[in-house]
Amino acid sequence: VLYTGRRYDAAIDSLTKALALTPDLPLARAVLVKALTLDGRAADALSHCGAPAAVPAPDLSVACLVAAT
């Protein structure tokens, strides 16, 4: 809801907390990467792209490609 409402700072905070509790949430990581990118923090977004996910995450792959451009 925060991300779709363009409240990127709040979304980033919430997603960061969620991933601290449960790191293997590929959709949450993908949305975090998107929120960071749209907030102008592509370098921070890319730092979340390096760790391989236990579950294949096509959304995360696409978000990382966008952050890299």
Side-chain angles (χ1 to χ4, degrees), residues 9-62:
D9 283 337
I12 291 165
D13 289 340
S14 293
L15 291 161
T16 301
K17 290 175 185 174
L19 288 167
L21 294 172
T22 310
D24 195 26
L25 296 173
L27 183 56
R29 191 166 305 281
V31 175
L32 175 60
V33 169
K34 292 176 187 180
L36 286 165
T37 301
L38 290 170
D39 197 42
R41 298 164 51 186
D44 292 335
L46 289 173
S47 72
H48 292 279
C49 294
V55 177
D59 288 343
L60 179 57
S61 298
V62 171

Side-chain angles (χ1 to χ4, degrees), residues 1-13:
V1 172
L2 296 170
Y3 171 79
T4 57
R6 297 183 182 176
R7 296 181 52 207
Y8 301 126
D9 283 337
I12 291 165
D13 289 340

